[in-house]
Amino acid sequence: MGVGKSTVGRLLAERLGVGYRDTDDDIVAAEGRTIAEIFVDEGEAAFRALEKAAVRAALAEHRGVVALGGGAVLDADTRASLAGQRVLYLSMEVEEAVKRTGLNVARPLLAVNPRKQWRELMEARRHLYEEVATAVVATDGRTPEEVAQAALDALELKQV
C-alpha cells in the first residue's frame, strides 16, 4: 500500500510502449464501488474472490504491465499464475509508508493502529512477494522515475 505500484506501473508501460492495467481499478469499475466499500459491505473474503478473478482475467487478457493489489499474492492459485511471468516486487519500509500514505483509514486493513497493522501485513506477506518476484526494487527515498529505471534494469527490459 502506497508503494507506488500505479505510478511506477504506468511509467513502466509508457517506457516499454505497452498498455497498463491495474486489477484494483478493474474491481472498482466492475463493482461500481470502492475497495473500502467492498470490504465494509461484504468482508475481506468476498473482496479476495473478486481480486482473484480480476487477476486471472488481467493475466489472460492483457500483454502489458499489470499492477496487482497488495493482497493478491495471498491466493495460491494467483501465485501459481504468476510463475513464469516477470514479476516486480516494489518494497518499502514502514517509515516510507507513513510519509507516503499517512497510513490513513482509507486503507481498510489499516483502520486501527496503522503502523502495527502495516508491519504485521508485511511480515505475513513479504515472503509471498519474494516467492513470486523475478526482481525486487526498493522504493524508499526514490522518485517514481528512479524506481521505474531500477525496475527496467532489474528485469533486464529495454525501453522503447
Side-chain angles (χ1 to χ4, degrees), residues 101-143:
T101 68
L103 295 179
N104 61 39
V105 295
R107 312 272 182 181
L109 292 179
L110 300 178
V112 179
N113 195 346
R115 283 179 190 254
K116 179 177 182 266
Q117 288 182 294
W118 190 91
R119 282 190 182 100
E120 288 174 358
L121 280 174
M122 286 310 300
E123 286 172 19
R125 295 177 180 180
R126 183 172 280 121
H127 73 284
L128 298 174
Y129 296 151
E130 291 170 348
E131 175 187 321
V132 300
T134 307
V136 179
V137 172
T139 65
D140 302 77
R142 288 177 152 170
T143 67

Side-chain angles (χ1 to χ4, degrees), residues 9 12-14 16-23 26 54-67 81-86 157:
L12 286 173
E14 180 182 302
L16 293 168
V18 299
Y20 170 79
R21 185 166 174 174
D22 186 318
T23 58
D26 291 350
V55 171
R56 186 174 50 247
L59 292 176
E61 300 165 3
H62 188 75
R63 292 292 162 244
V65 174
V66 177
S81 295
L82 294 171
Q85 305 282 338
R86 285 190 176 123
L157 295 170

Side-chain angles (χ1 to χ4, degrees), residues 16 86 134-135 149-159:
L16 293 168
R86 285 190 176 123
T134 307
Q149 187 58 55
L152 290 170
D153 294 344
L155 293 168
E156 299 178 353
L157 295 170
K158 304 263 189 258
Q159 64 186 52

